[in-house]
Structures are given as C-alpha cells and as structure tokens.
Amino acid sequence: MRMFSNFVKWFLYITTGILVICGINYKLAGVETVTVDIFRKILFCGFVTTLATVLLLPKEEDGRTKSCIKFALHYVVLCTIMIPLGVRFGWIELHLTGIVTMMIDVGGVYLLSLGAHYFIDCKQADEINRMLKERYGDSER
C-alpha cells in the first residue's frame, strides 16, 4: 500500500511539473491554443517517469555517495525516457538543440517535483511534531 501511495504522490508532483514546464514552453513559443490531446501526452509522460522515479530515487537509508549516484542515474533515465517521447509528441526535434532543450525541461520538472516533495514533507513533519508536542508536552526535560 505504501508503494501505491508513493506512486500517486510522485505522479501528482511530476505531472504537475510537466504541465507547468509545457505551459512555459508553449508560452515562450507563442502558442495561443493547445489541443486536448496535450493532456493525454502529459499524463502518459507523468505515468512513465513516475515509474522510473519510484524505482530509482534514493531511499532514506542510502548513504550520501549512493544517493548522489542514484540521483544522477535517475536524471539520465528520465532524459532517456523523455527525449524519445518528446520527439514522438512533437515537443522537440531530434538534434542537439532539441536534446539539450529536453534535458533542461527534465531538469525543470525535476526541480519542481523535488521542491514540492521537500516543502510538503517538511510541512507535514512540522505539523506532526507540533501535534506530538501538544499531546505529550515537552518530555525532553
């Protein structure tokens, strides 16, 4: 059950990040309207990259070196997934500029998703700590 809730959480973070980055890219490109088909593409990309995320992101018990390696591998895998999908969906062209653009976009989604994860988890942890202090008082004395 924990795996499923982790998947749903990351799916929401990642899909929202992809939506934001697509919105920025379309605005910069001067696109006035988009088709409904874009949402299917965003959901599919969110689903596929969430699978990779749930499998590859570092665990709390991983050491610093192992975590760094996993983050780097995770980013490479996400780029490897998103470059062909970007070409297929017409988001980029398969040349150096298109590949670099997608790598930057993946980095943007990465930062948005990890940022949301960090701030939401910190807020939840603070709330839990506050509730524990209210319930049990300051028992560290």
Side-chain angles (χ1 to χ4, degrees):
M1 189 63 174
R2 177 129 172 104
M3 180 77 152
F4 179 73
S5 67
N6 244 0
F7 183 88
V8 170
K9 178 177 70 170
W10 279 111
F11 178 76
L12 292 173
Y13 294 156
I14 292 168
T15 304
T16 302
I18 294 171
L19 182 62
V20 168
I21 296 297
C22 281
I24 291 169
N25 285 342
Y26 278 122
K27 184 69 173 171
L28 292 175
V31 175
E32 294 291 323
T33 58
V34 295
T35 62
V36 176
D37 193 42
I38 190 70
F39 297 110
R40 177 189 58 82
K41 294 173 183 176
I42 290 171
L43 289 171
F44 180 75
C45 289
F47 179 81
V48 173
T49 54
T50 299
L51 285 174
T53 298
V54 170
L55 295 173
L56 294 175
L57 267 186
K59 310 285 187 267
E60 288 182 27
E61 62 270 5
D62 289 343
R64 183 182 190 110
T65 304
K66 188 174 181 180
S67 291
C68 287
I69 291 169
K70 279 185 158 183
F71 272 118
L73 176 64
H74 180 240
Y75 176 75
V76 169
V77 168
L78 293 180
C79 288
T80 303
I81 291 169
M82 285 306 299
I83 289 168
L85 288 177
V87 171
R88 173 143 169 83
F89 295 153
W91 293 342
I92 62 166
E93 293 181 20
L94 191 57
H95 52 70
L96 184 60
T97 306
I99 292 170
V100 170
T101 299
M102 184 56 75
M103 291 174 74
I104 292 168
D105 290 346
V106 168
V109 172
Y110 208 92
L111 290 176
L112 288 171
S113 300
L114 287 177
H117 173 69
Y118 176 78
F119 287 116
I120 289 171
D121 279 5
C122 282
K123 184 176 178 165
Q124 286 176 337
D126 288 343
E127 182 69 19
I128 290 168
N129 287 333
R130 185 187 59 76
M131 290 171 63
L132 287 170
K133 281 183 182 180
E134 285 176 4
R135 182 169 182 146
Y136 297 109
D138 196 12
S139 61
E140 292 183 21
R141 294 183 212 181

